[in-house]
Amino acid sequence: MLKNKILFCLFIVINHILLAQTKTDSSLSLSPKERSIVAISAHTAQGNMPKLQMALHDGLNAGLTINEIKEMLVQLYAYAGFPRSLNALNNLMGVLEERKKKDINDAAGKEPSPYPAGKTMLQTGTGNQTKLTGRKIGGGVYEFAPAIDQFLKEHLFGAIFGRDNLDWKTREIITIAALAAMEGTEPQLRSHFGVGMYNGLTKNQLAELVTIIETDVSAKRGIVARQVLQAVINQKPYTMATLPDEVIFPLGQKIDNGNFIGTAWLKQLALSDSSNQTAIGNVTFEPGARTNWHLHPGGQILLATGGLGYYQEKGSPKRLLRKGDVVKCPPNIPHWHGASHDQPFIQIAITNNQNGATVWMQPVTDAEYNNN
Ligand code: MN
């Protein structure tokens, strides 16, 4: 009897450990919805309608809304052409009818908000393209054929990416899956792997996306996509070694005070004193490094100057920080900041010490760090 009890307790403990591990691992991988987005996009791009229909059922069963799927298939016209996009939309209509007959009620989902007022589509699109890629796009082929530059900005980055019922990370999953499934689009795939990482997709998630292409879409396309992904991962600017390109201030001293996880560096730029109680420091985080949870009684302003980072306030989703982003942390709100999974992050922290010094709290666990 006692032996059984002990065995049962052991079973519970092991189960908890396994569950905790699965939770940590799964937060670093694509969600079931995202996996079905990969399949839907790739089959649409290839024009494989029987497989698309199965992927549409899987996506709806995983909780994708009708409007989300419509939005994906509309976006795909820019990558795979109107015929593929229209064929896929027709198949979606058929799948939805079939499900209705079986009394399956799929959620309609959100409509996009109106476009920003007072701006031309070209202005909106140019702004979105610069924010999405982190740089101004021009020259070369865009100068040779200005019409394609205009249409890309107006249609793709303005009219399509300007619709907010899919976020940009999701839109990059759609784009990458379509480009990986098509033949001869390796240069665009290469650049979108980079854009995807810049918009919060991790190397692990991209590798998983490629595995779906390899096993569910085309083994040949999967192998090519894996080679392209490896080349992007090996390339700048995703390592500490390539940071000097973006560095304004020196690295400074390695932080060794127990308030950080991983390796981070601090260059104190200005100390607070009686005439000005603001402290300014330049902090460089290696990939995966982050502060513990903490709060500032007088608040803090963060200026992101390089790499890719995260910022999270207690109870809110994690925010992606890119060069040029500004965060105003309110006084006394527990939060953490640090580098993203695969890339370093540089920030200038401006801390108001008027109401007291930073209050340090518990470390940010891997589960918290990996979570969205
Ligand atoms: Mn802070």
Side-chain angles (χ1 to χ4, degrees):
M1 193 62 190
L2 182 68
K3 199 176 149 196
N4 273 348
K5 259 192 177 166
I6 291 172
L7 275 177
F8 182 70
C9 286
L10 202 64
F11 169 78
I12 295 282
V13 168
I14 290 172
N15 233 355
H16 267 90
I17 293 170
L18 286 177
L19 268 177
Q21 272 182 350
T22 321
K23 205 181 166 215
T24 308
D25 291 342
S26 70
S27 49
L28 255 184
S29 35
L30 297 170
S31 67
K33 269 193 207 179
E34 289 169 330
R35 293 178 64 86
S36 61
I37 289 171
V38 173
I40 291 170
S41 307
H43 295 315
T44 297
Q46 285 212 331
N48 187 336
M49 294 303 119
K51 279 205 156 184
L52 173 64
Q53 285 175 15
M54 289 196 291
L56 289 171
H57 281 288
D58 289 346
L60 290 163
N61 292 340
L64 284 173
T65 66
I66 298 170
N67 281 340
E68 280 172 330
I69 300 180
K70 269 191 212 171
E71 196 62 33
M72 292 165 53
L73 302 182
V74 168
Q75 177 183 328
L76 282 166
Y77 102 73
Y79 296 95
F82 275 112
R84 295 260 192 261
S85 173
L86 288 166
N87 290 345
L89 283 163
N90 271 310
N91 273 271
L92 174 61
M93 284 170 69
V95 164
L96 291 173
E97 258 167 51
E98 201 182 302
R99 291 169 69 89
K100 224 178 205 164
K101 276 184 199 146
K102 288 183 191 157
D103 275 334
I104 306 173
N105 267 318
D106 296 303
K110 272 196 300 190
E111 295 285 346
S113 325
Y115 293 114
K119 274 186 179 178
T120 65
M121 206 46 101
L122 185 62
Q123 287 169 329
T124 301
T126 305
N128 286 348
Q129 188 191 40
T130 308
K131 202 172 165 210
L132 182 82
T133 60
R135 60 203 176 93
K136 287 229 180 307
I137 306 286
V141 71
Y142 302 112
E143 217 170 278
F144 174 69
I148 199 82
D149 187 39
Q150 183 190 336
F151 295 162
L152 259 176
K153 288 182 162 95
E154 286 181 351
H155 295 180
L156 181 56
F157 296 109
I160 298 178
F161 274 69
R163 287 161 67 91
D164 63 359
N165 52 351
L166 284 182
D167 62 34
W168 286 0
K169 187 170 150 188
T170 306
R171 290 197 182 274
E172 282 308 311
I173 295 175
I174 296 163
T175 302
I176 292 167
L179 292 171
M182 294 192 294
E183 218 166 310
T185 47
E186 287 79 19
Q188 288 75 24
L189 178 61
R190 192 186 170 95
S191 103
H192 277 279
F193 273 136
V195 176
M197 285 184 177
Y198 189 64
N199 284 274
L201 287 165
T202 63
K203 284 193 286 195
N204 284 356
Q205 289 171 329
L206 291 173
E208 197 185 342
L209 184 157
V210 168
T211 304
I212 299 171
I213 300 290
E214 199 171 1
T215 53
D216 187 35
V217 181
S218 149
K220 195 178 149 202
R221 299 306 315 146
I223 290 166
V224 174
R226 195 172 301 283
Q227 287 166 347
V228 176
L229 176 59
Q230 198 52 53
V232 172
I233 288 170
N234 294 342
Q235 181 207 17
K236 299 202 295 180
Y238 302 116
T239 65
M240 280 298 282
T242 55
L243 270 185
D245 287 357
E246 324 197 48
V247 158
I248 304 169
F249 300 105
L251 269 183
Q253 303 292 316
K254 210 172 196 171
I255 299 173
D256 197 16
N257 56 16
N259 296 327
F260 286 64
I261 287 180
T263 305
W265 307 74
L266 170 68
K267 174 68 186 167
Q268 199 73 55
L269 302 176
L271 292 169
S272 56
D273 56 32
S274 53
S275 70
N276 186 333
Q277 295 186 34
T278 306
I280 304 182
N282 187 70
V283 187
T284 306
F285 299 85
E286 292 194 5
R290 68 264 191 183
T291 67
N292 287 354
W293 287 98
H294 64 279
L295 60 84
H296 311 284
Q300 185 181 52
I301 293 168
L302 301 173
L303 309 178
T305 61
L308 190 71
Y310 299 139
Y311 168 78
Q312 186 178 30
E313 289 175 9
K314 199 111 201 162
S316 299
K318 191 167 79 185
R319 210 181 123 181
L320 203 60
L321 295 185
R322 298 176 286 202
K323 189 173 174 172
D325 283 335
V326 177
V327 177
K328 201 168 179 187
C329 334
N332 296 316
I333 295 294
H335 66 277
W336 63 270
H337 23 119
S340 55
H341 287 82
D342 308 318
Q343 297 175 54
F345 177 57
I346 314 173
Q347 59 162 47
I348 295 171
I350 304 168
T351 314
N352 177 356
N353 289 316
Q354 208 167 353
N355 300 325
T358 303
V359 178
W360 290 98
M361 293 175 280
Q362 73 279 15
V364 174
T365 63
D366 284 347
E368 287 172 316
Y369 178 74
N370 291 339
N371 218 332
N372 277 319

